[in-house]
């Protein structure tokens, strides 16, 4: 059974930081590339960042580049999203997902397993 469980969301002031975690389990995702997406109310789900299974390749959306960093600890089956210099426009539900391809990608259709999401709210 595949499970992806996000944690670490919350309320933070603009300029602050949060670190999201995604713990995943299940043999079919244990060696997958992983990604983070976000969805704000009334908007489509948006790519944030992705990382290869080995962790040596990452891909980050221009909107968060230089502020957000994706990483993983394969021994712990956990993927992280460090978010710094947060802005009110970063407010969204953040989702962790497992890819069907081995390289980091922003193509939503190449992700087949999703977590339940964690809310991030940035106040101005």
């Amino acid at each position: 059974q595949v499970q992806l469980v996000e944690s670490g969301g919350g309320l933070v002031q603009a300029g602050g930081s949060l670190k999201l975690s995604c713990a995943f389990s299940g043999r079919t995702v244990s060696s997958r590339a992983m990604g983070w997406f976000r969805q704000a109310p009334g908007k489509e789900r948006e790519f944030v960042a992705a990382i290869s299974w080995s962790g040596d390749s990452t891909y980050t959306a221009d909107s968060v580049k230089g502020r957000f960093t994706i990483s993983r600890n394969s021994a712990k089956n956990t993927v992280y999203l460090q978010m710094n210099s947060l802005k009110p426009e970063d407010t969204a539900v953040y989702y962790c997902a497992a890819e069907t391809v081995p390289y980091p990608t922003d193509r939503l259709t190449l992700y087949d397993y999703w977590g339940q999401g964690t809310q991030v709210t940035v106040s101005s």
Side-chain angles (χ1 to χ4, degrees):
Q1 184 179 358
V2 175
Q3 279 193 314
L4 286 78
V5 180
E6 302 96 335
S7 61
L11 173 64
V12 64
Q13 288 188 331
S17 298
L18 282 174
K19 186 173 185 177
L20 306 183
S21 299
C22 172
F24 55 93
S25 60
R27 195 160 58 100
T28 57
V29 296
S30 62
S31 59
R32 298 272 199 100
M34 302 289 290
W36 286 96
F37 286 75
R38 65 186 182 185
Q39 189 166 19
K43 295 188 176 181
E44 293 186 351
R45 195 162 295 192
E46 173 189 33
F47 171 76
V48 177
I51 188 167
S52 62
W53 170 73
S54 64
D56 61 358
S57 180
T58 62
Y59 178 32
T60 305
D62 288 343
S63 59
V64 303
K65 195 170 291 183
R67 299 188 298 122
F68 291 12
T69 303
I70 188 171
S71 62
R72 70 189 294 161
N73 183 328
S74 294
K76 294 184 177 181
N77 282 353
T78 303
V79 178
Y80 306 97
L81 185 67
Q82 177 67 48
M83 306 186 295
N84 299 327
S85 302
L86 283 161
K87 305 175 181 180
E89 50 264 43
D90 294 319
T91 295
V93 177
Y94 283 71
Y95 297 91
C96 171
E99 297 187 26
T100 60
V101 293
Y103 52 86
T105 180
D106 59 357
R107 292 178 59 187
L108 188 146
T109 56
L110 294 181
Y111 290 80
D112 60 351
Y113 290 107
W114 294 81
Q116 82 290 348
T118 185
Q119 177 70 47
V120 171
T121 303
V122 185
S123 63
S124 57

